């Protein structure tokens, strides 16, 4: 059965087509050398080892750290690479020196870089293929230089680990039989050959020597010399290569009258063929596809092609009456010049075994009706990067009894779909659909969604959906992609319905915290990178018992104890992007530091350890303080502090009563009981005989009162306090109290009320520690010393009496003072 198909592709008369990716017909970038992704993945273990010096207009390689693993010096003005510039770079694994104008590479350069695995010296001015030997090298790009021959140096036979080799020069127009002899025993898997020029000669058998070849990317034109191309295909068949990629095979002006691909019929090993960056017409397509139908090809790809219909009926392929092996067809970027849709007239039985079909970057806005119903084996359909909408995909004129009966995966990414509720209803027509990609559209949450039970995977990335999107998803979903959808937070309530969820992608949102109560028992993979998460707590993973893969890099981590558990104890084998994508954001002192190099101490972050260390330290300190307290009479000073506080409180209560009262005694005598004989025989009789009123504790203390209170009363009621100092005095506890209160009283009234009588010599160094203040007083104040000579004693008494005579006018009868003291409280009570 044949059918006429008008493929829904916009046509235009200009080179640029809306919705179509146009790639210039210069040498394309080598897919095997992905300078960023592949280099980082293969070489970089720490961001400290990455040095990007590209586009700096430097003329030589500066001094570098011996930690350098990844070096990019492309797009500079470096004509020569010297060996000294690479001295010490024993860890260098990736070197990109493309677009530098290189003319010479010193033979000693690579002796300093034994770990080099990726070397890109393409797009330079090298006049010959350099003679280098690197045993670890896996990827080597020498394309777009100025060498005139493809002959490889003998040193290339030492590339025992080489996987990819790119060769190409606009000046090299021929391939000779012995050019690739050095690769005969090298396990190169992928050879990229050519610079887009028209070859003048290819000697048969040249490529047949590369016996390990699995893929050939051929970038050359053979217009008018297709016999040369046929010979190349014969050699490729000898290598048993499985993949052929032909780039710019036909220039725009080429008139293809031959059948350059007729050898496909006899190439049993080729399974994958790609035509890229080339011009083809409908006449060629008919001849070409006849060869494809009878070939062993499983996958056919057209990448960035320009298609022209040079026949009135378009692409018209006769019926096929034999089995076709082709199971995968890819159209990735199609440009055409007609003002009408391309016409394809072919039997759908020819595509009955097709399981994978991709129409991407074609500008398609309407899906042909027959595509939906006449591909019974189709399992994967990719219609990404087109202009499709709901009305163009489910086109009203089409009548459908069965829609994609075996389709399991459908990609509608990068189109113009908008209604999620409408799409959810239409997916019920696809009874086998398991995966749907709606990323990069303009999806709106416009109503309730009813998804088919067999649909288990949904991709909605890069649509502005917000936090409420979870309510529009099916509880049967096992894989959900919500990257860059404007989500600011997730809760356990959002995910509690998804009991079957195994893969969740939330990358590139604004999520700040992973909830500690998050519980998704079936989850195997979680991507939550590129958000606003500052730390990950231990409790988060408790609700993810089956988690096998976690991607959480690119977040602004705080390098503090909040991240201690994640850095030190978390199983890093679960992290897909560790350690390169994990850096400190704050504090500023650690900003930019790789998280793997932040080493917080266990003591500063573990509370139990702090307690375990602090407890014995506290015990030791307490013991030391207790010992010092005991040695320094701390108990006595504490007792004195308490008494002083009581004295202060008592003084405040009586200050208003006795503020203007006179003293009851000229002096209060403080002495040791062992010196009472001298006090009773000399001091008291002499002073009282001279008319002075003295307070003596044995006589004047009030019975029944606390001794401390008696001391305080006597000190406060006396104009002076006489201290009879002797060796016995400094051994008396009560004498120490009396000195303490008298001293504080002298300070409080701002009066020199202390008089010291030295009864016998006392060395100040022999005084106990509790008498430290007395030492100071004896050094600062004048004291009276009791002389043994009778004549000197008269002078002693005279000096002492003169000290007490000043208080005569202030001293009143003791009874009157006590009466006032007793009467005032009664008056106060009556008032």
């Amino acid at each position: 059965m044949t059918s006429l198909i008008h493929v829904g592709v916009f046509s235009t008369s200009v080179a640029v087509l809306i919705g179509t990716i146009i790639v210039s017909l210069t040498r394309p970038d080598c897919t095997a050398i992905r300078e960023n992704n592949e280099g980082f993945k293969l070489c970089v273990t720490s961001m400290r080892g990455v040095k990007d010096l590209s586009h700096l207009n430097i003329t030589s390689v500066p001094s570098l750290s011996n930690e350098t693993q990844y070096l990019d010096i492309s797009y500079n003005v470096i004509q020569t690479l010297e060996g000294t510039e690479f001295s010490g770079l024993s860890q260098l694994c990736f070197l990109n020196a493309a677009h530098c104008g290189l003319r010479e590479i010193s033979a000693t350069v690579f002796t300093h870089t034994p770990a080099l695995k990726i070397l890109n010296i393409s797009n330079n001015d090298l006049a010959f293929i350099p003679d280098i030997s690197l045993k670890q090298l896996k990827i080597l790009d020498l394309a777009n230089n100025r060498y005139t021959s493809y002959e490889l140096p003998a040193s290339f036979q030492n590339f025992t680990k080489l996987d990819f080799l790119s060769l190409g020069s606009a000046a090299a127009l021929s391939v000779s039989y012995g050019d690739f002899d050095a690769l005969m025993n090298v396990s190169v898997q992928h050879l990229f050959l050519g610079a887009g020029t028209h070859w003048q000669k290819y000697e048969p058998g040249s490529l047949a020597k590369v016996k390990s070849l699995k893929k050939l990317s051929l970038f050359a034109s053979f217009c008018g010399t297709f016999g040369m191309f046929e010979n190349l295909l014969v050699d490729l068949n000898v290598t048993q290569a499985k993949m052929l990629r032909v780039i710019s095979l036909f220039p725009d002006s080429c008139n293809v009258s031959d059948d350059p691909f007729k050898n496909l019929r006899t190439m049993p090993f080729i399974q994958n063929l790609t035509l890229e960056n080339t011009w083809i017409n409908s006449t060629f397509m008919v001849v070409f596809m006849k060869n494809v139908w009878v070939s062993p090809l499983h996958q056919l790809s057209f990448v960035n092609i320009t298609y022209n219909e040079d026949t009135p009926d378009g692409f018209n392929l006769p019926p096929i009456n034999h089995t076709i092996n082709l199971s995968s067809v890819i159209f990735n970027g199609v440009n055409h010049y007609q003002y009408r849709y391309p016409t394809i007239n072919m039997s759908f039985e020819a595509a009955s075994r097709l399981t994978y079909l991709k129409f991407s970057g074609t500008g398609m806005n309407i899906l042909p009706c027959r595509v939906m119903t006449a591909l019974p084996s189709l399992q994967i359909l990719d219609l990404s990067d087109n202009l499709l909408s709901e009305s163009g995909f489910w086109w009203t004129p089409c009548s459908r009894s069965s829609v994609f009966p075996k389709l399991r995966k459908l990609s509608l990414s990068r189109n113009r779909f908008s209604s999620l509720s409408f799409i959810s209803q239409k997916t019920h027509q696809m009874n086998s659909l398991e995966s749907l990609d709606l990323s990069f559209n303009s999806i709106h949450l416009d109503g309730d969604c009813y998804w088919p039970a067999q649909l288990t995977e949904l991709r909605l990335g890069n649509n502005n959906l917000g936090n409420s999107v979870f309510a529009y998803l099916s509880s049967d979903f096992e894989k959900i992609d919500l990257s860059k959808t404007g989500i600011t937070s997730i809760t356990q309530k959002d995910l509690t319905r998804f009991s079957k969820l195994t893969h969740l992608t939330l990358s590139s949102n604004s999520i700040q915290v992973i909830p500690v109560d998050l519980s998704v028992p079936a989850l195997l993979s979680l991507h939550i990178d590129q958000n606003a998460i500052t730390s990950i707590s231990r409790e988060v993973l408790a609700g993810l018992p089956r988690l096998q893969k976690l991607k959480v890099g690119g977040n602004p981590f705080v390098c503090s104890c909040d991240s201690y558990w994640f850095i030190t104890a978390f199983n890093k084998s679960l992290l897909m992007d560790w350690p390169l994508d994990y850096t400190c954001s704050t504090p500023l002192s650690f900003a930019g530091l790789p998280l793997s190099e932040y080493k917080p101490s266990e003591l500063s972050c573990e509370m139990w350890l702090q307690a375990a260390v602090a407890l014995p330290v506290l015990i030791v300190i307490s013991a030391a303080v207790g010992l010092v307290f005991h040695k320094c009479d701390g108990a006595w000073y504490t007792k004195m502090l308490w008494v002083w506080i009581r004295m202060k409180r008592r003084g405040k209560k009586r200050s208003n009563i006795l503020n203007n009262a006179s003293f009851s005694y000229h002096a209060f005598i403080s002495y040791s009981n062992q010196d009472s004989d001298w006090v009773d025989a000399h001091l008291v009789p002499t002073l009282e005989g001279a008319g002075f009123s003295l307070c003596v504790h044995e006589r004047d203390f009030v019975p029944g009162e606390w001794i401390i209170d008696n001391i305080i009363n006597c000190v406060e009621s006396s104009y002076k306090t006489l201290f009879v100092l002797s060796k016995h005095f400094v051994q008396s506890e009560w004498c120490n109290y009396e000195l303490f209160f008298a001293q504080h009283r002298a300070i409080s009234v701002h009066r020199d009320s202390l008089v010291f009588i030295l009864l016998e010599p006392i060395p100040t160094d022999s005084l106990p520690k509790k008498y430290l203040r007395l030492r100071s007083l004896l050094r600062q104040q004048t004291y009276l010393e009791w002389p043994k000579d009778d004549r000197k004693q008269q002078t002693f008494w005279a000096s002492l009496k003169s000290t007490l005579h000043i208080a005569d006018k202030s001293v009143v009868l003791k009874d009157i003072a006590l009466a006032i003291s007793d009467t005032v409280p009664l008056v106060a009570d009556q008032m």
Side-chain angles (χ1 to χ4, degrees):
M1 185 181 86
T2 61
S3 176
L4 187 66
I5 300 178
H6 297 281
V7 180
V9 183
F10 282 133
S11 59
T12 178
S13 60
V14 295
V16 178
L17 177 67
I18 298 176
T20 304
I21 300 176
I22 305 298
V23 177
S24 61
L25 300 181
T26 58
R27 176 187 177 270
D29 189 19
C30 299
T31 56
I33 301 185
R34 297 158 59 188
E35 293 177 354
N36 290 328
N37 296 335
E38 199 67 26
F40 269 74
K41 181 179 179 181
L42 189 62
C43 294
V44 179
T45 59
S46 170
M47 291 302 296
R48 290 184 180 274
V50 178
K51 304 296 179 185
D52 186 358
L53 304 177
S54 61
H55 298 87
L56 296 180
N57 204 34
I58 58 178
T59 58
S60 62
V61 181
S63 178
L64 299 169
S65 166
N66 56 10
E67 297 180 347
T68 304
Q69 299 173 323
Y70 180 105
L71 177 59
D72 188 348
I73 55 173
S74 60
Y75 294 94
N76 283 295
V77 190
I78 304 175
Q79 295 186 355
T80 304
L81 292 182
E82 300 289 347
T84 55
E85 297 171 336
F86 293 85
S87 178
L89 301 184
S90 58
Q91 298 185 50
L92 186 64
C93 175
F94 176 98
L95 175 59
N96 181 8
H99 297 278
C100 285
L102 277 176
R103 295 184 177 181
E104 182 181 357
I105 300 177
S106 172
T108 61
V109 168
F110 301 111
T111 60
H112 301 288
T113 58
L116 198 64
K117 294 181 179 178
I118 300 178
L119 176 60
N120 184 357
I121 47 177
S122 64
N123 296 280
N124 283 296
D125 297 328
L126 296 173
F128 55 87
I129 297 176
D131 188 357
I132 56 179
S133 179
L134 290 163
K135 293 184 178 181
Q136 300 298 321
L137 197 66
K138 298 176 69 68
I139 298 174
L140 175 59
D141 191 349
L142 292 164
N144 280 1
N145 277 279
R146 295 192 176 184
Y147 43 82
T148 59
S149 170
Y150 286 113
E151 184 177 3
L152 300 178
S155 60
F156 275 47
Q157 62 186 349
N158 297 323
F159 291 153
T160 56
K161 295 185 179 181
L162 190 66
D163 289 331
F164 173 83
L165 174 62
S166 177
L167 299 170
S169 171
L173 303 179
S174 63
V175 177
S176 301
Y177 181 75
D179 286 350
F180 305 120
D181 286 350
L183 299 180
M184 291 181 64
N185 297 315
V186 176
S187 60
V188 61
Q189 304 281 310
H190 182 187
L191 176 63
F192 190 104
L193 187 61
T197 55
H198 187 279
W199 281 2
Q200 297 178 357
K201 183 180 69 172
Y202 174 82
E203 293 186 359
S206 300
L207 278 175
K209 297 180 179 181
V210 190
K211 299 178 181 179
S212 63
L213 197 63
K214 300 300 180 185
K215 178 179 180 180
L216 174 65
S217 294
L218 185 63
F219 186 28
S221 172
F222 295 92
C223 188
T225 56
F226 290 115
M228 190 186 310
F229 178 70
E230 293 173 7
N231 291 334
L232 188 147
L233 292 182
V234 171
D235 289 347
L236 187 65
N237 188 52
V238 173
T239 67
Q240 300 185 9
K242 297 182 181 300
M243 303 175 68
L244 173 62
R245 176 186 174 204
V246 183
I247 306 166
S248 301
L249 179 63
F250 309 127
D252 292 351
S253 58
C254 184
N255 183 16
V256 183
S257 57
D258 298 332
D259 185 4
F261 286 95
K262 62 183 179 182
N263 283 346
L264 284 177
R265 300 167 179 258
T266 57
M267 296 179 67
F269 303 105
I270 288 292
Q271 297 182 3
N272 188 321
L273 174 62
T274 300
L275 298 184
E276 183 174 341
N277 283 1
T278 194
W279 174 93
I280 56 178
N281 57 28
S282 55
T283 300
F284 166 77
M285 280 293 289
V286 171
V287 176
F288 174 70
M289 291 305 296
K290 287 181 180 179
N291 293 320
V292 170
W293 293 146
V294 296
S295 73
L297 282 178
H298 290 279
Q299 178 173 313
L300 176 63
S301 302
F302 298 93
V303 179
N304 297 318
I305 64 170
T306 299
Y307 176 72
N308 177 48
E309 288 189 347
D310 61 340
T311 56
D313 296 331
F315 176 66
N316 193 356
L317 190 66
I320 306 297
N321 55 7
H322 57 78
T323 303
I324 297 175
N325 296 313
L326 195 66
S327 61
S328 175
V329 175
I330 296 174
F331 289 90
N332 191 3
V334 177
N335 180 31
H336 63 96
Y337 293 93
Q338 280 76 25
Y339 281 99
R340 58 185 177 84
Y341 293 137
T343 302
I344 300 176
N345 188 11
M346 59 174 286
S347 170
F348 269 96
E349 293 179 357
S352 60
R353 299 186 62 182
L354 204 63
T355 59
Y356 179 90
L357 177 62
K358 179 177 181 178
F359 278 94
S360 179
T362 64
M364 178 186 294
N365 63 348
I366 296 175
L367 182 67
C369 298
R370 291 285 289 164
V371 172
M372 300 188 75
T373 57
L375 297 175
S377 300
L378 192 65
Q379 298 182 21
I380 302 174
L381 175 62
D382 186 348
L383 300 175
S384 60
D385 198 15
N386 286 297
L387 302 176
L388 289 168
S389 62
E390 287 84 355
S391 59
F393 186 81
W394 288 279
W395 198 22
T396 305
C398 297
S399 59
R400 308 175 185 90
S401 56
S402 175
V403 177
F404 299 123
K406 292 187 178 181
L407 189 67
R408 296 186 300 104
K409 294 184 178 182
L410 173 63
S411 176
L412 301 176
S413 176
R414 298 182 185 274
N415 278 281
R416 297 182 175 182
F417 293 93
S418 60
S419 176
L420 192 63
S421 61
F422 178 84
I423 295 173
S424 69
Q425 295 175 3
K426 288 296 184 179
T427 52
H428 284 270
Q429 299 175 355
M430 307 175 193
N431 297 328
S432 301
L433 189 64
E434 299 173 359
S435 175
L436 175 62
D437 188 352
L438 294 172
S439 59
F440 291 95
N441 276 281
S442 301
I443 300 296
H444 299 294
L445 304 176
D446 56 346
D448 294 338
C449 297
Y450 302 96
W451 301 98
Q454 79 277 0
L455 186 66
T456 59
E457 180 179 4
L458 180 63
R459 298 179 179 270
L460 289 171
N462 288 269
N463 289 287
N464 190 17
L465 303 175
N467 295 340
S468 60
V469 64
F470 294 99
Y472 297 84
L473 306 181
S474 169
S475 59
D476 293 317
F477 286 166
E478 298 176 5
K479 299 179 180 179
I480 301 175
D481 185 350
L482 295 173
S483 56
K484 205 171 185 179
T485 51
I487 297 176
T488 58
S489 64
I490 54 173
T491 65
Q492 176 58 28
K493 181 180 178 181
D494 293 331
L495 300 177
T496 189
R497 295 189 303 111
F498 304 102
S499 59
K500 302 178 182 179
L501 188 63
T502 59
H503 294 73
L504 177 61
T505 302
L506 297 170
S507 306
S508 301
N509 282 292
S510 301
I511 301 170
Q512 298 181 0
V513 177
I514 304 178
V516 294
D517 62 342
L518 190 67
S519 178
V520 190
L523 196 66
L524 301 175
S525 174
L526 174 61
H527 290 202
I528 198 166
D529 52 306
Q530 302 292 333
N531 276 274
I533 297 170
T534 57
S535 63
I536 299 177
S537 64
R538 190 192 311 258
E539 293 78 9
V540 169
L541 295 184
L544 309 174
R546 298 183 60 193
L547 192 67
Q548 298 176 0
K549 294 181 180 180
L550 176 63
K551 190 175 183 181
V552 71
N555 280 290
F557 288 101
V558 174
C559 281
S560 66
C561 287
D562 292 340
S563 301
Y564 175 77
W565 170 82
F566 179 72
I567 295 172
T568 60
F570 183 75
N571 182 9
K572 302 302 186 301
S573 64
L574 299 181
L575 298 177
M576 303 172 60
D577 48 354
W578 177 269
L580 297 181
D581 294 338
Y582 296 78
T583 57
C584 300
S585 177
T586 56
L588 289 177
S589 57
F590 293 111
L593 179 72
L595 213 60
S596 58
E597 298 181 16
Y598 175 64
K599 305 296 182 182
S601 66
E602 186 176 7
L603 179 60
S604 64
C605 295
E606 293 288 1
M607 294 298 295
W608 68 268
L609 187 58
Q610 293 175 5
V613 173
L615 184 59
V617 171
L618 184 61
I619 293 174
V620 171
I621 292 176
S622 299
V625 170
L627 182 61
V628 173
F629 187 80
H630 174 71
K631 291 292 185 180
C632 297
D633 291 317
W636 183 87
Y637 282 109
T638 304
K639 186 175 181 181
M640 287 299 97
L641 177 62
W642 167 243
V643 173
W644 180 79
I645 293 173
R646 291 186 69 246
M647 183 181 71
K648 282 291 184 181
R649 294 181 61 191
R650 186 171 177 270
K652 288 181 180 179
K653 292 180 180 179
R654 300 186 61 185
S655 60
N656 294 330
I657 301 174
L658 300 176
N659 187 39
N660 297 319
S662 299
F663 298 105
S664 301
Y665 306 100
H666 285 91
F668 167 64
I669 302 174
S670 176
Y671 62 96
S672 172
N673 285 333
Q674 298 188 35
D675 297 325
S676 60
D677 292 342
W678 182 85
V679 172
D680 295 339
H682 295 87
L683 183 62
V684 173
T686 302
L687 293 181
E688 288 187 341
F692 294 103
S693 176
L694 302 177
C695 180
V696 182
H697 70 269
E698 292 179 345
R699 182 184 66 191
D700 297 309
F701 274 12
V702 178
E705 287 194 13
W706 189 35
I707 297 176
I708 294 297
D709 288 337
N710 275 314
I711 293 174
I712 293 172
N713 289 334
C714 289
V715 170
E716 291 181 345
S717 301
S718 303
Y719 176 66
K720 295 284 187 179
T721 301
L722 302 181
F723 292 96
V724 180
L725 301 180
S726 67
K727 294 179 180 179
H728 304 300
F729 180 92
V730 297
Q731 300 298 328
S732 172
E733 186 77 14
W734 294 113
C735 290
N736 191 24
Y737 289 150
E738 292 166 354
L739 175 62
F740 176 81
F741 294 124
Q743 176 190 343
H744 280 279
R745 186 244 183 177
I747 294 173
S748 63
V749 300
H750 303 288
R751 187 187 300 272
D752 187 9
S753 59
L754 306 181
V755 178
F756 295 99
I757 299 173
L758 191 59
L759 193 60
E760 57 184 349
I762 306 175
T764 56
D765 295 338
S766 66
L767 293 175
K769 293 180 180 179
K770 66 181 69 177
Y771 283 96
L772 293 177
R773 181 59 181 165
L774 180 58
R775 296 181 187 181
S776 177
L777 291 173
L778 291 177
R779 291 191 183 101
Q780 297 173 2
Q781 291 188 213
T782 302
Y783 54 86
L784 299 174
E785 187 173 358
W786 172 251
K788 301 298 183 182
D789 190 345
D790 292 341
R791 288 174 297 178
K792 292 182 179 180
Q793 291 178 1
Q794 294 178 2
T795 304
F796 169 83
W797 294 119
S799 298
L800 182 57
K801 291 175 183 179
S802 64
T803 303
L804 301 178
H805 269 304
I806 302 175
D808 283 345
K809 295 181 180 181
S810 300
V811 176
V812 297
L813 294 177
K814 177 180 179 182
D815 295 338
I816 296 174
L818 293 174
I820 294 173
S821 176
D822 295 337
T823 303
V824 172
L826 296 175
V827 176
D829 293 340
Q830 292 177 1
M831 294 176 63

